[in-house]
Amino acid sequence: MQKEFLRKHAGPAPRYTSYPTAPHFHAGIDGEVYARWLRELKPGQSLSLYVHIPYCDRLCWFCGCNTKQTLKYDPLKTYLEALENEMETLAGLIDPGCRVTALHLGGGSPTMLRPEDMISLDKALRSRFHFDADAEISVEMDPNDLTADKYDALAAIGMTRASIGVQDFDEKVQKAINREQTFEQTAEVVEQVRARGVRSVNCDVLYGLPHQTRKSVDRTIEQVLTLNPDRIALFGYAHVPWMKTHQKMIDESVLPDVTERFAQMNRAASTLTMAGYTAIGIDHFALPADSLAIAAASGSMRRNFQGYTSDTADALIGMGASSIGQLPQGYIQNQPSTGEYQRQVNSGRLPVVRGFELSNEDRIRARIIELLMCDFAFSFATIRHEFGGAAESILDEAEYLANCNTEGMIEFSGGLFQITPRGKPFVRSVASAFDGYFGTGTARHSLAV
């Protein structure tokens, strides 16, 4: 691929895990608005719960998550008490007939929790919300945190999916990002969770990290494949030191340039598909029998703040500092400061600091962007069926964009707007053409490749 073409279309663009994206949330959405939205949920509607644990016992310099380092356990105990108070407030607003179909524990490092606290957290949730018998329970795991009693506790809470951060097994790369983790440690986690009945294992791998080369990424991918994970997420490192100041610890002079990043991505993707994994969206790969691959094949895959998912719940309820919720009416985000978050929930308040209420136009654009990110295509018939005549002006934009395309990135025929193989690596850039807020405000984004 020509370097000029790559540089032109690989510029900064949102990852589109929501629309509008989080930088456009505003303080006009507060706890009172959120409470009203929660009360409007109906019996029988499905809920996906996300619980954020914003603590790690080390700070990885590449990380873009909301977390902080602590070597003491007392802050986690205090935080868990506040979490239970937030649950209590939420449960009082949500109709008890709503069903929980999924729970995701993220962070930070949820596996920092002591075994008894993992079990207590699970009991606190289940005592306040109605869980389906087959609810999916997924947990983000740091191999450096894990012990036999923690594995047993995770089994006791019914964990069905383990998500393991790998990043890269090259020692030079690991030192440059302050994330030292051996292959043997990772293999032990996979062995232990599978021995306890976990039916799905996901591994996260990054490209574009300091000192990475195509060969080093290849070696990591080959090692990951020996673990036979059900899913592999292949993420491009998002270098955003203006947002995450700890990323300033990374030497920018040894970061791969956009051409090298693109080559690393392509080589890794080719290796994974040759190994029998199905390519899904922009950065996921799954074995054909995995639920994500099945959802992608059936057209039911969704995209939310956790990335690609087979979770089709009516509402995502975020709990914990900085967590984001997604409801039919719009989005909310909790207070990111753990101290202020705890003060608010301990006084019985919803700790919402910002959000966004969706207009009908927002919903149309959100749906088009989601379909592009998931399926690389959308049909005019589908959009008209879902939104009627209100979508016509946006469909006119799509047709105009397709007719103006002279670089072979888009095809348009029979009412089907489709991104070509040449354009797929740049789907974020194509999606941004439908973003009515892109370029407004002061938001800055990572590279689109």
Side-chain angles (χ1 to χ4, degrees):
M1 184 174 290
Q2 295 179 348
K3 287 186 179 181
E4 295 78 11
F5 180 85
L6 175 59
R7 293 184 183 279
K8 176 181 178 181
H9 295 290
R15 290 182 178 268
Y16 289 115
T17 53
S18 73
Y19 178 83
T21 55
H24 298 289
F25 294 3
H26 58 82
I29 303 299
D30 57 15
E32 290 186 9
V33 174
Y34 186 32
R36 186 180 79 244
W37 290 356
L38 291 169
R39 291 190 189 100
E40 290 172 0
L41 291 169
K42 301 293 191 295
Q45 286 193 286
S46 54
L47 307 177
S48 181
L49 306 182
Y50 173 76
V51 178
H52 190 67
I53 308 296
Y55 294 98
C56 297
D57 50 18
R58 59 175 171 173
L59 195 59
C60 302
W61 295 336
F62 70 89
C63 183
C65 300
N66 188 290
T67 187
K68 62 176 68 175
Q69 182 180 14
T70 180
L71 298 178
K72 298 179 179 179
Y73 196 74
D74 286 348
L76 278 83
K77 289 291 290 185
T78 302
Y79 181 78
L80 289 172
E81 292 169 3
L83 261 179
E84 190 160 349
N85 287 330
E86 185 184 13
M87 290 176 212
E88 187 72 20
T89 301
L90 289 167
L93 295 165
I94 296 172
D95 191 289
C98 290
R99 304 175 298 107
V100 174
T101 56
L103 166 66
H104 186 91
L105 302 183
S109 298
T111 46
M112 271 192 74
L113 297 180
R114 290 173 178 165
E116 61 271 23
D117 288 332
M118 291 181 187
I119 293 172
S120 293
L121 176 61
D122 179 69
K123 287 181 178 177
L125 287 163
R126 292 178 185 272
S127 69
R128 292 169 173 83
F129 302 97
H130 174 71
F131 279 65
D132 279 1
D134 60 350
E136 181 176 282
I137 313 295
S138 56
V139 182
E140 297 174 12
M141 310 182 78
D142 181 350
N144 292 280
D145 292 335
L146 289 159
T147 55
D149 52 353
K150 288 188 179 182
Y151 289 123
D152 290 340
L154 290 165
I157 70 171
M159 180 175 69
T160 60
R161 173 167 291 110
S163 185
I164 305 167
V166 170
Q167 324 322 334
D168 191 293
F169 286 126
D170 185 280
E171 289 185 12
K172 187 175 184 180
V173 175
Q174 289 185 353
K175 288 179 180 178
I177 61 174
N178 199 37
R179 173 68 179 234
E180 296 186 38
Q181 173 182 319
T182 67
F183 170 77
E184 289 73 22
Q185 281 179 294
T186 309
E188 173 73 7
V189 175
V190 175
E191 179 182 347
Q192 292 296 331
V193 298
R194 283 182 168 153
R196 289 164 174 80
V198 170
R199 60 177 181 260
S200 182
V201 172
N202 172 82
C203 290
D204 290 347
V205 179
L206 290 181
Y207 65 87
L209 290 170
H211 299 297
Q212 275 187 321
T213 64
R214 277 163 266 189
K215 287 186 178 180
S216 72
V217 175
D218 282 348
R219 287 194 296 271
T220 291
I221 292 293
E222 289 167 2
Q223 288 176 289
V224 168
L225 286 172
T226 66
L227 304 175
N228 197 35
D230 302 88
R231 298 181 190 177
I232 298 171
L234 178 66
F235 295 129
Y237 165 56
H239 189 60
V240 288
W242 57 88
M243 289 175 55
K244 301 296 178 182
T245 55
H246 55 264
Q247 290 189 352
K248 293 178 181 179
M249 300 294 293
I250 290 177
D251 181 359
E252 293 183 347
S253 70
V254 294
L255 287 173
D257 65 15
V258 67
T259 304
E260 176 62 21
R261 283 172 63 99
F262 189 72
Q264 290 175 10
M265 176 190 71
N266 276 341
R267 288 259 298 254
S270 177
T271 299
L272 292 171
T273 54
M274 288 179 65
Y277 286 79
T278 300
I280 295 170
I282 61 171
D283 50 23
H284 276 57
F285 298 81
L287 293 175
D290 184 82
S291 61
L292 191 64
I294 294 169
S298 67
S300 62
M301 184 172 70
R302 306 302 303 269
R303 187 164 174 82
N304 63 21
F305 295 101
Q306 295 160 31
Y308 291 110
T309 179
S310 56
D311 181 0
T312 58
D314 297 307
L316 169 63
I317 307 298
M319 302 179 211
S322 82
S323 66
I324 294 177
Q326 180 175 353
L327 290 90
Q329 302 92 331
Y331 306 104
I332 64 92
Q333 184 168 23
N334 278 353
Q335 166 66 244
S337 163
T338 53
E340 182 60 20
Y341 160 80
Q342 290 172 91
R343 189 185 71 79
Q344 292 187 27
V345 297
N346 289 342
S347 64
R349 295 170 55 194
L350 291 172
V352 175
V353 291
R354 61 185 190 139
F356 201 99
E357 185 166 12
L358 296 169
S359 69
N360 199 41
E361 179 180 336
D362 292 331
R363 297 177 203 280
I364 298 167
R365 293 185 182 277
R367 182 64 172 141
I368 287 173
I369 289 172
E370 183 181 42
L371 287 169
L372 287 174
M373 295 297 295
C374 290
D375 304 334
F376 299 105
F378 67 90
S379 75
F380 281 27
T382 295
I383 300 302
R384 285 177 176 135
H385 175 73
E386 293 184 12
F387 300 101
E392 289 305 322
S393 63
I394 300 173
L395 296 179
D396 286 344
E397 291 178 26
E399 188 167 358
Y400 177 79
L401 177 64
N403 290 334
C404 289
N405 171 55
T406 59
E407 297 179 289
M409 294 175 63
I410 301 167
E411 290 179 347
F412 180 69
S413 177
L416 180 66
F417 184 102
Q418 191 164 14
I419 298 177
T420 66
R422 177 179 173 86
K424 282 183 178 181
F426 312 102
V427 62
R428 288 165 59 187
S429 295
V430 176
S432 70
F434 294 94
D435 185 341
Y437 304 96
F438 186 60
T440 64
T442 59
R444 297 171 66 184
H445 304 285
S446 60
L447 292 174
V449 170

